Amino acid sequence: YQCFFMQFVFCYRTYILDRFPRNYALSSMWLILLSFVPLVFHEHFDRRKFFLFCFLLGAMAVSIHTSYIPVLFVNICVCLIYDGFCKNGRGFSPLAIILYLVGVVSVFALLGGLVSDMTADSYYGLYLFNYAGFVAPTYAFYNFSSVVLPFLNFIPCADILSSHEGFAYLGAGIILPSFVMGIAFIWALGKKDFREKYRNFINNNQLLCLLFGFLFVFMVIIASLPKISFLDWTVSFELPIFIKFFYTFLRAAGRYIWTDVFIIYFLVLSVILRCFRAKVATILISLCLLVQIVDLKDILFHIHIDYALKKSFVSSIKTEEVWNKLAEGKKNCFILDDSRYHTPSLCP
């Protein structure tokens, strides 16, 4: 029952709800969770299975959405580092990275990417993550506001309109238990037996804690550069040329905060599972889901308006008489598409 409710908590993420109706590929964030499977179920993956997994993961990343390629690459590197230092690890093998890249390039070539003349826009310095984004519901594409925590709606954020790719609002279903856990943790540190258990847990999982801590900080940095934004305060600075070149492949760097959001979700739900009995944990996780649904109902409301209701579009210039009148005394006309991905076409 815990897993049944947990899967809905993970799926009921703000960015997934924001993107799912408009971009199915970009909302396929299950790929991020999938990349951690060899780490979580370490004992079920020998070297051969891990190498095959890396190849297939690269193939899926490029065939679903290219934004996932660098995200999953970093996660694979985390798994490799864990294997290299863990006592029962598979050993550090660069072959896993090579196979991941082979999976990416082979499927990319199969889809015609190596012979295509298509180009992608670089949004260097745009669509970034604001450090207040975890608790700022106004950081959305839709005109979204929190229902359960309305005071958060007044949090000011710089570049709200251009930064919806860095939308990382956790939702009240995760923020509230995180706040309670933080207070309980500080209170419990005053007890000697808890300090002993906490110290033993850190010692037994030191490598895993260091890797996820590094991954969390690294993704925050990648998602926010070349600006440091907190609330409405922003500082911009120049990056070296080779880092700028790297950012041309990322396009919308704010998307790389996705991994950190999943880490927070996983941490909160794992604490609930470890600290409470099965029945109590099931009730608490279901309550988190209920609070999350209520808090994010504005997004569902906007999705319903945009897609569930029938719409019709009527243009006043579709009639032949209007076009004949517009063409009087003119040899050519330019048809301008409002999309930035198309160039004007010349029609006689």
Side-chain angles (χ1 to χ4, degrees):
Y1 290 108
Q2 294 97 321
C3 293
F4 176 78
F5 288 111
M6 283 177 64
Q7 65 177 335
F8 288 105
V9 176
F10 276 105
C11 292
Y12 215 84
R13 255 209 61 197
T14 48
Y15 195 90
I16 294 178
L17 294 176
D18 177 50
R19 283 291 178 171
F20 182 73
R22 299 181 287 117
N23 193 330
Y24 294 119
L26 201 57
S27 62
S28 301
M29 295 186 183
W30 54 269
L31 282 170
I32 298 176
L33 296 176
L34 181 65
S35 64
F36 289 120
V37 168
L39 192 61
V40 177
F41 301 99
H42 188 268
E43 64 278 4
H44 298 292
F45 279 81
D46 56 20
R47 290 172 67 89
R48 289 184 179 180
K49 290 181 179 178
F50 182 59
F51 291 156
L52 177 61
F53 176 86
C54 292
F55 174 81
L56 294 176
L57 188 67
M60 286 190 293
V62 70
S63 59
I64 293 176
H65 201 288
T66 54
S67 290
Y68 288 104
I69 296 175
V71 176
L72 303 184
F73 177 82
V74 174
N75 295 348
I76 289 294
C77 291
V78 169
C79 294
L80 285 178
I81 295 173
Y82 182 80
D83 285 337
F85 290 95
C86 181
K87 292 181 180 179
N88 300 322
R90 293 174 289 261
F92 183 83
S93 177
L95 182 59
I97 296 178
I98 296 174
L99 288 173
Y100 174 80
L101 296 176
V102 169
V104 170
V105 174
S106 59
V107 175
F108 187 69
L110 188 64
L111 296 175
L114 298 180
V115 296
S116 173
D117 59 352
M118 293 178 61
T119 59
D121 295 332
S122 175
Y123 300 118
Y124 174 77
L126 298 175
Y127 304 119
L128 304 177
F129 171 68
N130 188 298
Y131 285 2
F134 289 126
V135 294
T138 52
Y139 216 54
F141 181 80
Y142 292 111
N143 186 21
F144 169 68
S145 58
S146 173
V147 176
V148 179
L149 303 173
F151 60 90
L152 295 179
N153 299 327
F154 300 98
I155 295 179
C157 279
D159 301 326
I160 293 176
L161 294 178
S162 64
S163 303
H164 61 272
E165 294 291 357
F167 181 38
Y169 177 62
L170 299 174
I174 297 296
I175 294 175
L176 289 177
S178 300
F179 180 73
V180 174
M181 289 175 188
I183 295 176
F185 177 77
I186 296 173
W187 175 78
L189 283 177
K191 295 185 177 182
K192 185 177 180 180
D193 57 341
F194 178 81
R195 289 199 302 270
E196 286 295 328
K197 291 181 180 179
Y198 177 71
R199 190 180 297 111
N200 292 334
F201 175 81
I202 295 297
N203 291 334
N204 295 333
N205 301 275
Q206 188 173 15
L207 178 60
L208 208 57
C209 293
L210 287 174
L211 285 176
F212 275 102
F214 168 79
L215 178 63
F216 188 92
V217 174
F218 179 76
M219 285 301 191
V220 167
I221 294 173
I222 292 296
S224 59
L225 290 179
K227 297 179 182 179
I228 295 178
S229 300
F230 180 71
L231 300 176
D232 56 353
W233 176 80
T234 302
V235 174
S236 304
F237 47 89
E238 282 293 320
L239 296 177
I241 296 178
F242 70 94
I243 296 181
K244 283 186 178 180
F245 178 76
F246 169 74
Y247 264 83
T248 59
F249 294 95
L250 299 185
R251 296 191 71 221
R255 295 172 180 172
Y256 299 92
I257 202 63
W258 300 340
T259 301
D260 288 357
V261 174
F262 277 122
I263 290 175
I264 296 174
Y265 273 52
F266 189 78
L267 179 62
V268 171
L269 297 176
S270 298
V271 170
I272 294 176
L273 290 175
R274 289 182 65 92
C275 296
F276 298 95
R277 290 177 296 178
K279 291 183 179 180
V280 179
T282 303
I283 295 173
L284 291 176
I285 293 174
S286 61
L287 285 175
C288 290
L289 175 60
L290 179 61
V291 172
Q292 192 82 334
I293 292 174
V294 174
D295 189 49
L296 305 181
K297 71 180 184 68
D298 273 6
I299 292 184
L300 288 179
F301 176 73
H302 284 288
I303 292 173
H304 177 77
I305 292 177
D306 288 344
Y307 297 95
L309 303 180
K310 185 177 180 180
K311 295 181 179 180
S312 60
F313 300 91
V314 180
S315 175
S316 59
I317 63 171
K318 284 187 176 181
T319 60
E320 184 177 350
E321 295 121 357
V322 174
W323 279 109
N324 289 334
K325 187 174 181 180
L326 290 173
E328 289 179 1
K330 301 176 179 65
K331 296 181 179 179
N332 301 291
C333 70
F334 282 98
I335 299 178
L336 301 176
D337 196 294
D338 62 352
S339 173
R340 61 180 175 275
Y341 301 111
H342 296 81
T343 54
S345 55
L346 179 65
C347 298

